[in-house]
Amino acid sequence: MKFLSLQPFVPSGSDFTRSSELFQELGFSISFEAPGYAGFEKDGCGFILQEYDMPAFAENFMLTVTVEDVQAFREMVISKELPERFGIKVGAVTNQPYGKEVNVIDIAGVCWHFVED
């Protein structure tokens, strides 16, 4: 059996609308909406934003997204002033055994590892 995709449910934190706006600013498009949920997609990568606020869960949840150029991605986040506008955290680019990465802590507290192969 071939697996076709993986779409984790990601908690929004206390402000579902602001979280949705953040992910659109990061380049994702909404593929569907339903009460308490929204599907997001970009270049074949997808997840479902869930209206769910449990900091203990969110702060222990991590995702990896592979990007072509992690430095360019970080510069885009900074140039759009997303940390100031949304209260998110953006780390420096670091070298890891699996590639260069920059971490983004979203509104809910989820750690997104944006990794360049």
Side-chain angles (χ1 to χ4, degrees):
M1 176 63 63
K2 180 179 179 182
F3 290 12
L4 300 176
S5 70
L6 176 67
Q7 293 191 336
F9 282 74
V10 175
S12 67
S14 63
D15 193 335
F16 181 82
T17 301
R18 290 285 289 155
S19 287
S20 178
E21 292 168 358
L22 169 64
F23 291 114
Q24 290 174 78
E25 287 284 346
L26 288 172
F28 290 96
S29 299
I30 295 175
S31 56
F32 71 85
E33 292 181 278
Y37 300 92
F40 284 84
E41 189 277 330
K42 178 169 176 47
D43 303 324
C45 295
F47 68 95
I48 299 168
L49 185 66
Q50 179 181 11
E51 190 169 0
Y52 183 68
D53 185 21
M54 180 163 291
F57 173 75
E59 292 167 3
N60 286 286
F61 187 49
M62 295 186 275
L63 298 160
T64 298
V65 180
T66 305
V67 295
E68 289 179 329
D69 184 335
V70 76
Q71 185 64 43
F73 175 81
R74 184 180 188 279
E75 290 170 7
M76 179 272 297
V77 170
I78 300 300
S79 71
K80 288 185 168 189
E81 299 180 343
L82 300 184
E84 296 83 4
R85 293 173 46 212
F86 291 95
I88 65 171
K89 295 177 185 170
V90 180
V93 173
T94 61
N95 290 308
Q96 300 297 332
Y98 45 83
K100 291 194 310 187
E101 82 170 4
V102 63
N103 293 328
V104 174
I105 308 296
D106 73 14
I107 292 170
V110 173
C111 182
W112 293 75
H113 297 261
F114 290 89
V115 177
E116 177 182 328
D117 271 329

